[in-house]
């Protein structure tokens, strides 16, 4: 078979007509700033914050300009100071070490295992050996570690847990939603995530003091009394003098787009997982290709899929496979590439953070491929894509075993 796939891997579903109409109404008023509300009035941003907090089952959500800003504000609100070390995964996306660097801290990277989850033994060793006070856990590509074990490690070493849920909005561990395990959950509503407002982020917490700090940090000025969704004003009394304004508010237009998407999130998750299962089932039948194990405790959102090629594959095999699938319209990213590409980068390219080597992570990344599964693909598309992947994988795998023989 030499079929070619012709749809784009970066095409989203449209914004609903209802949301477009509400956004147009809002634009006719010109009232786009979140604090451009009358006393007591709940604007679209506060309305969205309440709806999101309610959906997640936490008291507070704070809408922000980006997921990266949510991480940065969470770190500052958690008391991270310049020079501190912050524990985080070696396998994550650039905004994570970026947020740590933005508050003047340095990431202390934890190894990643073949199931793409942080190695909890390495986490505990590094937590014990360092003065780190915060674990910024990045649930990269939607894979949750044993969250109870993570909480136990945090308790043993006095670590505050901040969850990066950019890929786990809607995921859960033993039925408990991702983002509710620590002091804060950080979400992104950037176009490629599970809700789409172009850019945007959400910080959640059940701690009113933490949330009051975050609200002032987000740029509430002294208007927090008309915030509409935050903690009681009594929590702001003293800390308003201590928190810098980092101006990272979300505007009413984006919140209007997002409000419309919360209700359909459960349905979108089902559709993502239907697509994921088609690809997963086909790839699971390919000899030599391995998929990360998904524990029973985890409910995930299959908006992307990862797979590992045999350790015998060298750089040439990996680049040839990427090129051959691309020639047939299938976009896969190889995490082992030496140079950062598109959204993909390896921890050793974050030179500003002076990362230590992570030999176990290096071995995983050298074999790791990633593919997006946008909702604009239907199940037949997913069947075709996985067929192309299976064929090209087998061709490349034969070359690699000949080379080794
Ligand atoms: C997208 C993403 C973020 C935050 O991204 P923004 O583009 O700043 O909204 C954080 N962590 C991970 C793993 C991401 O993929």
């Amino acid at each position: 078979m030499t079929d070619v796939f012709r749809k784009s891997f970066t095409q989203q579903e449209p914004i609903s007509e209802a949301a477009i109409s509400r956004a147009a109404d809002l634009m006719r008023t010109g009232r786009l700033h979140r604090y451009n509300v009358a006393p007591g009035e709940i604007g679209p941003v506060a309305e969205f914050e309440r709806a999101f907090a309610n959906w997640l089952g936490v008291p507070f959500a704070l809408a922000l300009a980006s997921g990266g800003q949510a991480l940065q504000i969470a770190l500052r609100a958690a008391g991270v100071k310049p020079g501190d070390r912050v524990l985080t995964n070696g396998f994550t996306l650039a905004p994570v070490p970026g947020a740590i660097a933005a508050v003047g801290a340095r990431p202390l990277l934890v190894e990643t295992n073949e199931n793409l989850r942080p190695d909890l033994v390495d986490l505990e060793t590094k937590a014990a050996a360092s003065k780190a006070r915060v674990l910024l856990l990045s649930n990269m590509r939607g894979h949750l570690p044993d969250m109870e074990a993570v909480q136990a490690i945090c308790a043993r070493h006095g670590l505050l847990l901040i969850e990066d849920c950019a890929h786990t909005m809607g995921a859960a561990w033993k039925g408990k939603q991702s983002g509710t395990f620590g002091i804060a959950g950080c979400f992104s509503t950037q176009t490629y995530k599970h809700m789409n407002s172009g850019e945007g982020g959400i910080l959640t917490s059940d701690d009113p003091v933490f949330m009051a700090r975050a609200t002032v940090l987000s740029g509430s000025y002294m208007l927090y009394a008309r915030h509409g969704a935050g903690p009681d004003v009594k929590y702001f009394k003293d800390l308003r003098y201590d928190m810098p304004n980092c101006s990272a508010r979300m505007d009413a237009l984006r919140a209007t787009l997002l409000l419309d998407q919360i209700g359909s999130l459960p349905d979108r998750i089902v559709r993502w997982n239907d697509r994921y299962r088609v690809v997963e089932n086909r790839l699971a039948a390919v000899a030599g290709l391995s998929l990360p194990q998904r524990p029973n405790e985890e409910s995930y959102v299959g908006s992307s899929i990862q797979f590992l090629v045999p350790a015998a594959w060298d750089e040439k095999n990996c680049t040839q496979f990427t090129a051959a699938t691309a020639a047939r319209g299938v976009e896969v990213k190889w995490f082992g590439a030496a140079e950062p590409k598109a959204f993909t980068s390896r921890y050793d390219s974050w030179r500003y953070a002076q990362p230590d080597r992570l030999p176990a992570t290096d071995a995983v990344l050298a074999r790791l491929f990633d593919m997006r599964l946008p909702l604009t693909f239907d199940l037949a598309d997913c069947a075709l894509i996985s067929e192309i992947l299976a064929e090209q994988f087998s061709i490349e795998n034969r070359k690699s075993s000949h080379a080794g023989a």
Side-chain angles (χ1 to χ4, degrees):
M1 190 171 86
T2 50
D3 287 353
V4 174
F5 182 68
R6 306 213 176 267
K7 284 192 188 171
S8 163
F9 277 74
T10 51
Q11 180 60 53
Q12 281 65 40
E13 293 191 294
I15 299 298
S16 81
E17 289 304 322
I20 292 172
S21 144
R22 256 177 254 125
D25 290 346
L26 175 76
M27 285 191 278
R28 287 187 191 100
T29 72
R31 299 167 80 206
L32 300 184
H33 193 280
R34 77 158 296 156
Y35 294 114
N36 190 193
V37 287
E41 182 189 354
I42 302 299
V45 183
E47 203 187 328
F48 169 64
E49 289 170 338
R50 288 178 176 193
F52 191 82
N54 188 46
W55 170 80
L56 192 67
V58 294
F60 309 114
L62 176 66
L64 296 162
S66 70
Q69 283 291 344
L71 297 172
Q72 228 181 97
I73 286 173
L75 291 167
R76 253 188 238 277
V80 173
K81 297 272 175 317
D84 286 359
R85 299 302 295 270
V86 173
L87 286 155
T88 194
N89 319 41
F91 174 47
T92 184
L93 211 75
V96 175
I100 296 170
V103 300
R106 236 185 96 197
L108 178 51
L109 300 179
V110 175
E111 291 274 25
T112 297
N113 64 30
E114 289 202 350
N115 290 319
L116 308 185
R117 293 148 218 264
D119 175 340
L120 298 186
V121 173
D122 190 50
L123 169 62
E124 181 136 32
T125 308
K126 284 172 179 163
S130 73
K131 292 198 183 73
R133 297 261 63 91
V134 170
L135 166 61
L136 176 47
L137 177 72
S138 182
N139 300 316
M140 179 65 171
R141 291 338 243 150
H143 300 275
L144 290 173
D146 179 337
M147 292 306 296
E148 289 168 356
V150 168
Q151 284 179 312
I153 292 170
C154 289
R156 281 197 289 277
H157 299 280
L159 292 170
L160 280 176
L161 172 62
I162 297 172
E163 293 174 82
D164 169 20
C165 308
H167 304 165
T168 53
M169 181 191 282
W173 183 263
K174 288 193 181 174
K176 188 172 161 56
Q177 290 247 53
S178 180
T180 63
F181 288 87
I183 181 98
C186 302
F187 299 82
S188 170
T189 62
Q190 186 238 79
T191 287
Y192 299 102
K193 312 298 165 91
H194 299 172
M195 288 203 280
N196 176 13
S197 59
E199 301 285 355
I202 311 157
L203 175 60
T204 60
S205 182
D206 61 6
D207 183 322
V209 176
F210 176 88
M211 216 47 181
R213 294 163 70 97
T215 304
V216 179
L217 286 165
S218 79
S220 65
Y221 302 97
M222 293 304 139
L223 301 170
Y224 49 80
R226 61 167 94 150
H227 188 81
D232 193 272
V233 288
K234 72 178 183 212
Y235 292 103
F236 291 81
K237 286 263 160 5
D238 299 323
L239 60 82
R240 63 194 167 139
Y241 302 109
D242 300 323
M243 294 290 117
N245 175 327
C246 300
S247 275
R249 297 166 301 271
M250 181 182 281
D251 59 273
L253 191 53
R254 288 176 205 188
T256 300
L257 304 183
L258 293 173
L259 250 175
D260 179 69
Q261 295 171 34
I262 295 185
S264 58
L265 194 49
D267 173 60
R268 291 205 304 283
I269 292 171
V270 169
R271 289 165 59 219
W272 259 311
N273 288 349
D274 288 345
R275 283 151 183 74
Y276 184 93
R277 260 174 239 117
V278 169
V279 179
E280 182 187 41
N281 286 338
R282 180 65 187 95
L283 296 187
V286 178
L289 183 154
S290 51
L291 294 160
Q293 277 172 16
R294 308 226 69 150
N296 288 333
E297 294 89 340
E298 176 198 43
S299 357
Y300 56 87
V301 184
S303 52
S304 69
I305 190 161
Q306 293 71 46
F307 58 91
L308 285 96
V309 297
W313 282 33
D314 58 15
E315 188 178 340
K316 198 167 157 225
N317 294 126
C318 291
T319 47
Q320 280 177 354
F321 171 67
T322 312
T325 54
R328 296 182 65 184
V330 177
E331 241 182 69
V332 295
K333 294 268 153 44
W334 178 41
F335 270 99
E339 285 302 312
K341 258 195 199 142
F343 284 104
T344 318
S345 71
R346 233 164 46 177
Y347 72 87
D348 50 359
S349 62
W350 311 325
R351 289 184 199 159
Y352 60 83
Q354 304 157 269
D356 293 324
R357 282 239 75 93
L358 300 172
T361 303
D362 288 339
V364 171
L365 296 184
R367 300 168 52 205
L368 180 62
F369 284 83
D370 181 272
M371 184 174 73
R372 289 176 201 276
L373 291 171
L375 290 177
T376 44
F377 293 178
D378 58 26
L379 299 184
D381 293 333
C382 293
L384 173 58
I385 292 165
S386 29
E387 207 48 53
I388 293 173
L389 281 181
E391 283 178 15
Q392 296 306 141
F393 174 87
S394 301
I395 292 170
E396 198 58 48
N397 205 35
R398 276 195 295 275
K399 286 194 219 159
S400 106
S401 39
H402 288 153

